[in-house]
Amino acid sequence: MMEKKNLVELILLCLILVFEGHCIQRVLCTSVTYDGRALVIDGKRRILQSGSIHYPRTTPEVWPELIRKAKEGGLDVIETYVFWNYHEPVKGQYYFEGRFDLVQFVKVVHEAGLFVHLRIGPYACAEWNYGGFPMWLHFIPGIQFRTNNAPYKTEMELFLGKIVGLMKEENLFAAQGGPIILAQVENEYGNVEWAYGAGGPLYIQWAAETAVNMNTSVPWVMCAQSDAPDPIINTCNGFYCDQFTPNSPSKPKMWTENYVGWFLAFGYPIPYRPVEDLAFAVARFFEYGGTFQNYYMYFGGSNFGRTAGGPLIATSYDYDAPLDEYGFIRQPKWGHLRDLHKAIKLCEDYLVSSEPTHEQLGSKLEAHVYYKSSNDSAAFLANYDSSQDATIQFNRNSYFLPAWSVSILPDCKTVIYNTAKVVSQRTVADNPFNSATTARDTSIAPSSWSWYKEHAGIWGNNSFTSLGLLEQINTTKDASDFLWYTTSIHVDESDASNQENEDHLFLVSLGHAALVFINKQVVGFGYGNHDNANFSMTQKINLNPGNNTLDVLSMMVGLQNYGPWFDIQGAGPISVIVDGLRNGKTDLSNGEWTYQVGLEGEYLGLDRVSMANSSLWTKGELVPVKESLIWYKVTFLAPEGTGPLALNLASMGKGQAWVNGQSVGRYWPAYLSPMTGCTDNCDYRGSYDASKCQKDCGKPAQTLYHVPRSWINPGENLLVLHEEIGGDPSKVSVVTRTGQEICAVISQADPAPVDTWKLNSELTPNSPQVRLSCEAGWRITSIHFASFGNPQGSCGAFAPGACHSDVVSIIEQACIGREACSIPVTADTLGDLCPPVIKSLAIEALCS
Ligand code: GAL
């Protein structure tokens, strides 16, 4: 039965609905303004934590789960770019379906009760193909991107208007009751403005006016744009932004890209950023008057299909983010940041009340205090020395501050959080998909593969001939990664008698890779790298008397997405020379070449499900390995469970993979990173940069490739691989996660969980706790280790110390069969074998 109170409320609501529709709007709508201290939402200054999640880098089925985890992690805002090239693939034809359903994404965020920062750009950068620009834009006569150029400005304004209009139609701006509180125009133009001469500042002026005239009712930002015209807020991007000041005292201090790690490129080691340093950077920012901070990325996801930017951006966009590529929580990163957000939230009223006062407490030691009134304040204590720990005196108390750390004191007295003290749960395996205890690897029977060996060189009748070497992107219009360059080399019969002959081919290319064939036989493979896509090849070749064919397959691995004038950087061979004793040096560069865009297999559509039963495919006992330009196909059964899948393509060379016709992305495990530049235990102390902490030197950047569960059918599934340089498909396997190995180690001296803190509770201080929790759907099924004392080692390799109580049964009691459990780290709960020692509780458990 409905309670009387509820009934009255319902009737009232209906009356309002009937008689005053606009009132509802007024009740639900949100006003967003700003002042010099903060963003002001509904009249209240706010401290906001934000995180980037780019909607097409996962599937819509996963959006709600990611947003839930982001909210639980303490975020208030989700930030995303808008990807013009996929929303308007053909001029005037729009696409907003599936992974590109922007409206749906914004609504999902809204339903979770979070805000949205919409970075419309329309230039995105983002390691996204062509920085998010559609290819057709490049072919508009007279166009120059990102400068004071009329054709460009026309198109940019149309697209900005399209997106703003769409959001308005759906009532998604805050003033309409929607979640969008901020919008961005352009992206980091300040970094490249110098290269556009007088056009740069004029363009920025125009972009600002154009954006403001769209009347979104929310503030606009320009990131990394110190000359952002009023009222646009210029914001900071970087690893640290505490020393940033906006270009007017009436603008708040905002940080739009705080890199949680870095992106990955083929041929590079894997970058990561220790959470202690990330938390330090965030705490420093709010200590210094920041109001809004965004993690780039909170969830990075995957560059499916040909969405990856370039050159040579990998398919994984994991970014070492708090939510990993597959959407799983990455610990201790997620947990330590969640604790940080809670600690900052407890200070919010203080932070927005005033500007901080600064107190130097020693060399590289300082305090910032935020006052609500003269005897009511919150404080941040910082030690920004990169190696010296310190004990400081503050307000007549003494505090220990580890090097490169910030302590947060919401009552100006109690340390409830220190950035260097990680008390959250950790993960045992570095990559849980690679661990036998938490992953199931299903290999595919080697005999079930079919293949199709495609033609090298010109394969169809839509080829064309031209003098000289054509620029690749202008020729393919990015319809394919591939362009065939074919010519013939003539060797005089009279010279053929000389057996000593040795010919060489020299090729210089602007990028990104090339496979060279002489008389249809592969003779070489060359490639550049992310920092320099140019490369040259010197190849010994054997020519026959008479005519020889030379086929060069030039390959793109993601169009450039960053830098001044990046949109007109070319690709493909620029010089091809044959040098031999017989003919001397012949420069073929200006000769006649025949061109064909794309591969035969692409033309045939071998990636498509409808081609799976085609007679083109050959089936036999022995699948050919180490073959270039070959297509492979197999079916595999849907693995059990509902979680995401990974394809293990470690045995393959370079190519692309499709599951049920959906492109998983480009793969290139044959490209190993350099042997040097990695550190096992990267010291979080001291300034971070993108190359400071790297792992997996001398290995492929990526062997596992994410396949979203929603792409999988019950029963049989089709896997197609296109191998370009040679691999072994018989070793390909499908991997799923079956659980997680979690652990924690907390000392009696550690702070209690942030959320147990209450003002004036110092008389009965809360005890520290070990808190364990599993991903939704899993439960704690076993405790592998539990010691209270002075356990040695670290997660995954704990061992009892000299003081050791085996507390396995206590922990089992508290945790087995549960999704989450918490254990106070006290002698009361755990017993006490060695009273004088300050003890720690270390636990290792399995969720499955
Ligand atoms: C920034 C850019 C982002 C992204 C990032 C690196 O310069 O604004 O879009 O590319 O670098 O991940």
Side-chain angles (χ1 to χ4, degrees), residues 597-617:
V597 176
L599 302 170
E600 189 201 14
E602 289 182 308
Y603 172 78
L604 294 170
L606 294 182
D607 52 308
R608 284 191 238 132
V609 177
S610 59
M611 287 298 284
N613 294 323
S614 156
S615 59
L616 287 170
W617 294 103

Side-chain angles (χ1 to χ4, degrees), residues 741-767:
E741 276 186 294
I742 59 180
C743 63
V745 51
I746 308 284
S747 138
Q748 286 177 304
D750 282 338
V754 170
D755 57 10
T756 60
W757 184 80
K758 290 205 183 54
L759 196 60
N760 302 324
S761 68
E762 71 266 27
L763 292 178
T764 49
N766 294 304
S767 52

